[in-house]
Coordinates of all heavy atoms in Angstrom, one line a residue:
Chain A
M1 N -42.0 -8.9 21.6 CA -41.3 -7.7 21.0 C -40.4 -8.2 19.9 O -40.3 -7.6 18.8 CB -40.6 -7.0 22.1 CG -39.9 -5.7 21.6 SD -39.2 -4.9 23.0 CE -38.4 -3.6 22.1
V2 N -39.7 -9.3 20.3 CA -38.6 -9.7 19.3 C -39.2 -10.9 18.5 O -39.6 -11.9 19.1 CB -37.3 -10.1 20.0 CG1 -36.4 -10.7 19.0 CG2 -36.8 -8.9 20.7
K3 N -39.2 -10.8 17.3 CA -39.7 -11.8 16.4 C -38.7 -12.2 15.4 O -38.4 -11.4 14.5 CB -41.0 -11.4 15.8 CG -41.8 -12.5 15.1 CD -43.1 -12.0 14.6 CE -42.9 -11.1 13.4 NZ -44.1 -10.6 12.7
K4 N -38.2 -13.4 15.5 CA -37.2 -13.8 14.5 C -37.9 -14.2 13.2 O -38.7 -15.1 13.1 CB -36.4 -15.0 15.0 CG -35.4 -14.6 16.1 CD -34.1 -14.7 15.5 CE -33.1 -14.1 16.5 NZ -31.8 -14.4 16.3
Chain B
F128 N -26.9 -3.9 33.0 CA -28.0 -4.6 32.4 C -27.8 -6.1 32.5 O -28.7 -6.9 32.8 CB -28.3 -4.2 31.0 CG -29.4 -3.1 30.9 CD1 -29.4 -2.1 31.8 CD2 -30.3 -3.1 29.9 CE1 -30.4 -1.1 31.7 CE2 -31.3 -2.2 29.8 CZ -31.3 -1.1 30.7
I166 N -25.2 -7.7 25.3 CA -25.6 -7.9 26.6 C -26.0 -9.4 26.8 O -27.1 -9.8 26.4 CB -26.8 -7.0 27.0 CG1 -26.5 -5.5 26.7 CG2 -27.3 -7.2 28.4 CD1 -27.6 -4.6 26.7
R168 N -26.9 -13.1 28.2 CA -27.7 -13.7 29.2 C -26.9 -14.7 30.0 O -26.1 -15.4 29.4 CB -28.9 -14.4 28.6 CG -29.8 -13.5 27.8 CD -30.3 -12.3 28.7 NE -31.1 -11.4 27.9 CZ -32.4 -11.7 27.6 NH1 -32.9 -12.8 28.0 NH2 -33.0 -10.8 26.8
M261 N -23.8 -14.1 21.7 CA -25.0 -14.1 20.9 C -24.9 -13.2 19.7 O -24.1 -12.2 19.7 CB -26.2 -13.8 21.7 CG -26.3 -12.3 22.2 SD -27.7 -12.0 23.2 CE -29.0 -12.1 22.0
L262 N -25.7 -13.5 18.6 CA -25.7 -12.7 17.5 C -26.5 -11.4 17.9 O -27.5 -11.4 18.5 CB -26.5 -13.4 16.4 CG -26.6 -12.7 15.0 CD1 -25.2 -12.7 14.3 CD2 -27.6 -13.4 14.1
N263 N -25.9 -10.2 17.5 CA -26.5 -9.0 17.9 C -27.1 -8.2 16.8 O -27.9 -7.3 17.0 CB -25.4 -8.1 18.6 CG -25.9 -7.3 19.7 OD1 -27.0 -7.5 20.2 ND2 -25.1 -6.3 20.1
L273 N -41.3 -2.9 11.5 CA -40.5 -2.4 12.7 C -40.2 -3.4 13.7 O -39.1 -3.5 14.3 CB -41.2 -1.2 13.3 CG -40.8 0.2 12.9 CD1 -39.4 0.5 13.5 CD2 -40.7 0.4 11.4
G274 N -41.2 -4.3 13.9 CA -41.0 -5.5 14.8 C -39.8 -6.3 14.3 O -38.9 -6.7 15.1
D275 N -39.8 -6.5 13.0 CA -38.7 -7.3 12.4 C -37.4 -6.6 12.5 O -36.3 -7.2 12.8 CB -39.0 -7.5 10.9 CG -38.0 -8.4 10.2 OD1 -37.4 -9.3 10.9 OD2 -37.9 -8.3 9.0
F276 N -37.4 -5.2 12.4 CA -36.2 -4.5 12.5 C -35.6 -4.7 13.9 O -34.4 -4.9 14.1 CB -36.5 -3.0 12.3 CG -35.3 -2.1 12.6 CD1 -34.3 -1.9 11.7 CD2 -35.2 -1.4 13.8 CE1 -33.2 -1.2 11.9 CE2 -34.1 -0.6 14.1 CZ -33.1 -0.5 13.1
W277 N -36.5 -4.6 14.9 CA -35.9 -4.8 16.3 C -35.6 -6.2 16.6 O -34.9 -6.4 17.6 CB -36.9 -4.2 17.3 CG -36.8 -2.7 17.3 CD1 -37.7 -1.8 16.7 CD2 -35.7 -1.9 17.8 NE1 -37.2 -0.5 16.9 CE2 -36.0 -0.6 17.6 CE3 -34.5 -2.2 18.5 CZ2 -35.1 0.5 17.9 CZ3 -33.7 -1.2 18.9 CH2 -34.0 0.1 18.6
A278 N -36.0 -7.1 15.8 CA -35.5 -8.5 16.0 C -34.2 -8.7 15.3 O -33.6 -9.7 15.5 CB -36.6 -9.5 15.4
R279 N -33.8 -7.7 14.6 CA -32.5 -7.8 13.8 C -31.5 -6.8 14.3 O -30.3 -6.9 14.0 CB -32.7 -7.5 12.3 CG -33.5 -8.6 11.6 CD -34.0 -8.0 10.3 NE -34.7 -8.9 9.4 CZ -34.1 -9.6 8.4 NH1 -32.8 -9.4 8.2 NH2 -34.8 -10.4 7.7
W280 N -31.9 -5.7 15.0 CA -31.0 -4.7 15.4 C -30.7 -4.7 16.9 O -31.7 -4.8 17.7 CB -31.6 -3.3 15.1 CG -30.8 -2.1 15.5 CD1 -30.7 -1.6 16.8 CD2 -29.8 -1.4 14.8 NE1 -29.8 -0.6 16.9 CE2 -29.3 -0.4 15.6 CE3 -29.4 -1.4 13.4 CZ2 -28.3 0.5 15.2 CZ3 -28.4 -0.5 13.0 CH2 -27.9 0.4 13.9
H281 N -29.5 -4.7 17.3 CA -29.1 -4.8 18.7 C -30.0 -5.8 19.4 O -30.7 -5.5 20.4 CB -29.3 -3.4 19.4 CG -28.4 -3.3 20.6 ND1 -28.3 -2.1 21.3 CD2 -27.7 -4.2 21.3 CE1 -27.5 -2.3 22.3 NE2 -27.1 -3.5 22.3
I282 N -29.9 -7.0 18.9 CA -30.9 -8.1 19.4 C -30.7 -8.3 20.9 O -31.7 -8.5 21.6 CB -30.5 -9.4 18.6 CG1 -30.8 -9.2 17.1 CG2 -31.4 -10.5 19.1 CD1 -30.2 -10.2 16.2
S283 N -29.5 -8.2 21.4 CA -29.3 -8.5 22.8 C -30.1 -7.5 23.7 O -30.6 -7.8 24.7 CB -27.9 -8.6 23.2 OG -27.2 -7.3 23.0
L284 N -30.1 -6.2 23.2 CA -30.8 -5.2 24.0 C -32.3 -5.3 23.8 O -33.1 -5.2 24.8 CB -30.4 -3.8 23.6 CG -31.0 -2.7 24.4 CD1 -30.5 -2.6 25.8 CD2 -30.9 -1.3 23.7
S285 N -32.8 -5.5 22.6 CA -34.2 -5.5 22.3 C -34.8 -6.7 23.0 O -35.9 -6.7 23.6 CB -34.6 -5.4 20.8 OG -33.9 -6.5 20.2
S286 N -34.1 -7.9 23.0 CA -34.7 -9.0 23.7 C -34.6 -8.8 25.2 O -35.5 -9.3 25.9 CB -33.9 -10.3 23.3 OG -32.6 -10.2 23.7
W287 N -33.6 -8.0 25.7 CA -33.5 -7.7 27.1 C -34.8 -6.9 27.5 O -35.4 -7.2 28.5 CB -32.3 -6.9 27.4 CG -31.9 -6.8 28.8 CD1 -31.0 -7.6 29.5 CD2 -32.4 -5.9 29.8 NE1 -30.9 -7.2 30.8 CE2 -31.8 -6.2 31.0 CE3 -33.4 -4.9 29.8 CZ2 -32.1 -5.5 32.2 CZ3 -33.7 -4.2 31.0 CH2 -33.0 -4.5 32.2
F288 N -35.1 -5.9 26.7 CA -36.2 -5.1 27.0 C -37.5 -5.9 26.9 O -38.5 -5.7 27.7 CB -36.3 -3.8 26.1 CG -35.5 -2.7 26.6 CD1 -34.3 -2.3 26.0 CD2 -35.9 -2.0 27.8 CE1 -33.5 -1.3 26.5 CE2 -35.1 -0.9 28.3 CZ -34.0 -0.6 27.7
K289 N -37.6 -6.8 26.0 CA -38.8 -7.6 25.9 C -38.9 -8.5 27.1 O -40.0 -8.5 27.7 CB -38.6 -8.6 24.6 CG -39.8 -9.4 24.4 CD -39.5 -10.5 23.3 CE -39.5 -11.9 24.0 NZ -39.2 -12.9 23.0
D290 N -37.8 -9.1 27.6 CA -38.0 -10.0 28.7 C -38.1 -9.3 30.0 O -38.7 -9.9 30.9 CB -36.7 -10.9 28.7 CG -36.7 -11.9 27.6 OD1 -37.8 -12.1 26.9 OD2 -35.7 -12.5 27.3
Y291 N -37.5 -8.2 30.2 CA -37.4 -7.6 31.5 C -38.2 -6.3 31.7 O -38.3 -5.8 32.7 CB -36.0 -7.3 31.9 CG -35.1 -8.6 31.9 CD1 -34.2 -8.8 30.9 CD2 -35.3 -9.6 32.8 CE1 -33.4 -10.0 30.8 CE2 -34.6 -10.8 32.7 CZ -33.7 -11.0 31.7 OH -32.9 -12.1 31.7
V292 N -38.8 -5.8 30.6 CA -39.6 -4.6 30.7 C -41.0 -4.9 30.0 O -42.0 -4.8 30.7 CB -39.0 -3.4 30.0 CG1 -39.9 -2.2 30.1 CG2 -37.6 -3.1 30.6
Y293 N -41.0 -5.3 28.8 CA -42.3 -5.4 28.0 C -43.2 -6.5 28.6 O -44.3 -6.3 28.9 CB -41.9 -5.7 26.6 CG -43.1 -5.9 25.7 CD1 -44.0 -4.9 25.4 CD2 -43.4 -7.2 25.1 CE1 -45.1 -5.1 24.5 CE2 -44.5 -7.4 24.3 CZ -45.3 -6.3 24.0 OH -46.4 -6.5 23.2
I294 N -42.6 -7.7 28.8 CA -43.4 -8.8 29.3 C -43.8 -8.5 30.8 O -45.0 -8.7 31.1 CB -42.7 -10.1 29.2 CG1 -42.7 -10.5 27.7 CG2 -43.4 -11.2 30.0 CD1 -41.9 -11.7 27.3
T313 N -41.9 0.7 26.5 CA -40.7 -0.1 26.3 C -39.8 0.7 25.3 O -38.6 0.8 25.6 CB -41.0 -1.5 25.8 OG1 -41.9 -2.1 26.7 CG2 -39.7 -2.3 25.7
M314 N -40.4 1.2 24.3 CA -39.6 1.9 23.3 C -39.0 3.2 23.8 O -37.9 3.5 23.5 CB -40.4 2.1 22.0 CG -40.7 0.9 21.2 SD -39.3 -0.2 20.8 CE -38.3 0.9 19.9
S317 N -36.3 2.4 26.1 CA -35.1 1.9 25.3 C -34.4 3.2 24.7 O -33.2 3.2 24.6 CB -35.6 1.0 24.2 OG -34.7 0.9 23.2
W320 N -32.4 4.8 27.3 CA -31.3 4.0 27.6 C -30.1 4.4 26.8 O -28.9 4.4 27.2 CB -31.5 2.5 27.4 CG -30.3 1.6 27.7 CD1 -30.0 1.0 28.8 CD2 -29.4 1.2 26.7 NE1 -28.8 0.3 28.7 CE2 -28.4 0.4 27.4 CE3 -29.2 1.5 25.3 CZ2 -27.3 -0.2 26.7 CZ3 -28.1 0.9 24.7 CH2 -27.2 0.1 25.4
H321 N -30.4 4.7 25.5 CA -29.3 5.1 24.6 C -28.7 6.4 25.0 O -27.5 6.6 24.6 CB -29.9 5.2 23.2 CG -30.1 3.8 22.6 ND1 -31.2 3.1 22.7 CD2 -29.3 3.1 21.8 CE1 -31.1 2.0 22.1 NE2 -29.9 1.9 21.5
R338 N -43.9 1.2 15.0 CA -44.3 -0.2 15.3 C -45.8 -0.4 15.3 O -46.3 -1.4 14.8 CB -43.7 -0.7 16.6 CG -42.2 -0.8 16.6 CD -41.7 -1.7 17.6 NE -42.2 -3.1 17.4 CZ -42.0 -4.1 18.3 NH1 -41.3 -3.8 19.4 NH2 -42.5 -5.2 18.0

Side-chain angles (χ1 to χ4, degrees):
Chain A
M1 183 176 176
V2 176
K3 190 176 71 175
K4 283 254 173 162
Chain B
F128 265 40
I166 303 168
R168 300 304 177 77
M261 68 182 292
L262 185 71
N263 214 15
L273 259 292
D275 186 25
F276 174 79
W277 283 104
R279 293 163 173 265
W280 177 277
H281 203 174
I282 299 165
S283 66
L284 180 75
S285 54
S286 61
W287 195 98
F288 274 108
K289 181 188 112 184
D290 289 347
Y291 303 109
V292 179
Y293 178 69
I294 289 174
T313 306
M314 291 310 300
S317 163
W320 177 90
H321 283 84
R338 291 204 62 187

